[in-house]
Amino acid sequence: LLSYDLVLRGGTVIDGTGAPRAAADVAVSGGRIAAIGRLDGARAECEIDAAGLVVAPGFIDAHTHDDRLLLESPDMAPKASQGVTTVVTGNCGISLAPLVAADVPAPLDLIGDGGWYRFPTFRAYREECEARPAALNAAALVGHSTLRVGTMATLDRPATPAEIGAMRGKLAEALAAGAIGLSTGTFYPPARAATADEIVAVGEPLAAAGGLYCTHMRDEGDRIVEALDETFAIGSRLGVPVVVSHHKLAGRRNHGRSAETLAILAERMRRQPVCLDCYPYRASSTMLSAERVGQAERVIVTWSKTRPDFAGRDLADVAKSLGLGLEAAAEAIRPAGAIYFVMDEADVRRILAFPETMIGSDGLPHDARPHPRLWGTFPRVLGHYCRDERLFGLEEAVRKMTGLPAARFGLAGRGVVAVGAAADLCLFDPATIADAATFDDPDRPATGIAATIVSGRVVWRNGAPTGERPGRFLRREVTASPAAG
Ligand code: ZN
Ligand code: CU
């Protein structure tokens, strides 16, 4: 009689590769999947009845700002509650490490005030994560804006050769200590003056280390085609794969243009490795800035340092109560964060359905009134867009959040339900899975997630964290993974 640590009995396996579902039991031993099939005779220390449930690979959140959440709230409830088992941190040019700073400019303040920027090296950050593990795994990017803030006295100019050398050295240290790549955010003030040449020079260690390049591009509106061209050029000059972060078309003038951008992306993918992520909402969220306000149909304040009482309120109300115009009100309550309704639903759907699009929440876990994507992204794709709107089949939805990101981020042996793979799993009810977080009530955990399992240990069950902390720091491995197709 075979004996395992854990058996999930009677579920329907969707394996993350896009292959059709199949009824099977899944057995786990030593943190890995040990057997898949009819396991009637098998015994286990722990059995979970999976009847009526889908057994899928744990979801990989391809785009997060969870650098600090891993340390501060190791239960990782916003993500564990959605079935996420791995988060990719350090996106949009901002990572917590390496940087020691008492005070940081926006948007670095989205993930922490000065007190949290206390890691002189990436290794110091990784060691703290490993000394106090979280419930979920992490794969970490190094932010170019973080490197700039830690290296340059003024940010409104390209870096000098000496500064480039210093940033390159910090990136090399981080890659040696386990970072998976570099992120940039040339859209944002701390990196707006950075040229493509600067990024290519700073990113020089990526190719040898097998790292990748992720970017919140310089422009997601009128000049998006130029921004895509710059991104492709940087990727090919660096000789590394590119991830276009949270692909979107912002501003009414650009609505509908995803047909154009996805055609450009598809064409480019035949010549160099490019992929993209997106979140399933038509509103974005980031720092509050007056220049962005005019582009949006509606703006909601997510936090304000000077006026915390305004969190959750429409900027239009705030402006009225301050007796100011929208832009002046935005200036008056900074530093602050906001939600911007800037996208077209048809673009969101077209981008989500594109075969190379991964799912990334882009959630901002420290906002007082966060965008609902923080708690709702994955169940919203599976429930709203897949089951209710039939945008794609369930196997394809699961692939976009498991096998595809595991292959693109080089997370070997993850993102698939296969014998020998890490036992990172999500059990969910396909009939009831749904996002519960809304713009008015953004902190509500999703429904329909029965269990989230990391390395064979149950970290979330019956709507609550279990207290288990099996999370690991994952390195990028560029050998082919089972879901590389
Ligand atoms: Zn971004
Ligand atoms: Cu982001």
Side-chain angles (χ1 to χ4, degrees):
L1 214 69
L2 282 165
S3 178
Y4 300 102
D5 297 342
L6 171 69
V7 171
L8 313 175
R9 225 176 255 296
T12 298
V13 172
I14 294 185
D15 73 1
T17 67
R21 67 193 78 183
D25 306 324
V26 175
V28 172
S29 270
R32 303 204 157 265
I33 296 171
I36 303 168
R38 287 211 47 173
L39 305 171
D40 293 342
R43 278 190 312 194
E45 268 163 55
C46 172
E47 295 224 0
I48 295 180
D49 178 7
L53 302 176
V54 167
V55 180
F59 307 143
I60 295 168
D61 191 342
H63 186 114
T64 85
H65 295 285
D66 292 345
D67 306 45
R68 165 181 159 199
L69 195 70
L70 288 161
L71 296 173
E72 187 179 45
S73 306
D75 284 340
M76 299 292 287
K79 302 299 169 67
S81 62
Q82 298 182 58
V84 170
T85 54
T86 295
V87 296
V88 178
T89 64
N91 278 282
C92 298
I94 57 178
S95 58
L96 214 47
L99 176 62
V100 177
D103 196 28
V104 292
L108 275 70
D109 57 357
L110 292 176
I111 53 171
D113 55 18
W116 277 97
Y117 286 92
R118 55 182 167 78
F119 300 101
T121 59
F122 184 86
R123 180 173 299 276
Y125 173 69
R126 194 199 76 194
E127 284 174 353
E128 190 158 323
C129 289
E130 289 181 334
R132 296 188 287 132
L136 309 187
N137 305 312
L141 299 160
V142 177
H144 169 242
S145 292
T146 291
L147 297 178
R148 287 192 125 227
V149 169
T151 307
M152 300 170 66
T154 55
L155 298 166
D156 57 349
R157 56 178 176 80
T160 65
E163 289 162 343
I164 286 170
M167 290 193 272
R168 185 193 291 142
K170 291 178 189 181
L171 175 62
E173 183 276 330
L175 293 167
I180 63 163
L182 176 70
S183 79
T184 58
T186 43
F187 168 79
Y188 291 114
R192 201 167 276 172
T195 60
D197 286 345
E198 173 185 320
I199 294 163
V200 170
V202 171
E204 189 265 337
L206 287 170
L212 47 70
Y213 172 60
C214 304
T215 180
H216 180 157
M217 300 189 299
R218 209 177 281 282
D219 195 292
E220 296 177 305
D222 297 353
R223 299 178 65 81
I224 190 149
V225 172
E226 292 90 326
L228 283 167
D229 284 342
E230 180 183 43
T231 298
F232 302 149
I234 291 170
S236 80
R237 288 172 68 191
L238 286 170
V240 302
V242 170
V243 180
V244 173
S245 294
H246 45 58
H247 185 40
K248 67 172 80 69
L249 280 301
R252 194 180 290 278
R253 278 197 295 278
N254 299 301
H255 289 180
R257 292 186 67 198
S258 61
E260 176 191 353
T261 58
L262 292 174
I264 291 170
L265 281 157
E267 206 277 318
R268 176 57 58 165
M269 282 167 189
R270 292 195 222 113
R271 287 185 271 160
Q272 74 183 89
V274 177
C275 61
L276 58 153
D277 61 74
C278 108
Y279 49 80
Y281 297 86
R282 51 179 296 273
S284 66
S285 182
T286 183
M287 62 191 239
L288 178 61
S289 82
E291 61 185 280
R292 200 106 200 255
V293 163
Q295 215 179 29
E297 289 157 37
R298 180 186 172 198
V299 178
I300 305 171
V301 177
T302 52
W303 60 277
S304 163
K305 203 147 198 179
T306 51
R307 291 295 303 264
D309 53 312
F310 284 144
R313 288 182 55 187
D314 266 53
L315 186 65
D317 298 341
V318 169
K320 205 172 289 171
S321 70
L322 294 177
L324 295 169
L326 285 181
E327 282 165 24
E331 279 301 334
I333 66 169
R334 287 183 65 190
I339 291 164
Y340 304 89
F341 287 81
V342 288
M343 289 172 249
D344 178 34
E345 177 67 21
D347 282 325
V348 173
R349 288 172 186 237
R350 198 180 287 124
I351 293 167
L352 271 177
F354 185 69
E356 280 296 314
T357 302
M358 308 180 284
I359 309 302
S361 70
D362 203 8
L364 295 169
H366 314 294
D367 287 10
R369 286 283 301 256
H371 187 303
R373 67 194 185 187
L374 174 65
W375 289 84
T377 288
F378 293 84
R380 184 170 171 78
V381 171
L382 296 167
H384 177 69
Y385 282 112
C386 173
R387 179 190 59 231
D388 300 342
E389 300 291 315
R390 299 170 186 253
L391 192 58
F392 29 61
L394 191 55
E395 287 84 351
E396 174 67 358
V398 169
R399 186 187 68 88
K400 288 173 162 296
M401 45 186 79
T402 59
L404 179 66
R408 296 295 172 260
F409 286 102
L411 307 178
R414 292 180 198 267
V416 287
V417 180
V419 172
D424 292 352
L425 299 162
C426 170
L427 270 65
F428 68 89
D429 182 343
T432 63
I433 191 163
D435 54 309
T438 64
F439 290 95
D440 293 322
D441 194 358
D443 299 315
R444 292 175 60 194
T447 56
I449 300 289
T452 306
I453 298 168
V454 175
S455 293
R457 286 155 70 183
V458 180
V459 299
W460 182 272
R461 198 164 181 200
N462 300 327
T466 63
E468 292 273 6
R469 304 280 164 76
R472 293 177 197 179
F473 225 85
L474 304 182
R475 281 176 177 265
R476 176 170 159 82
E477 292 174 43
V478 279
T479 50
S481 93

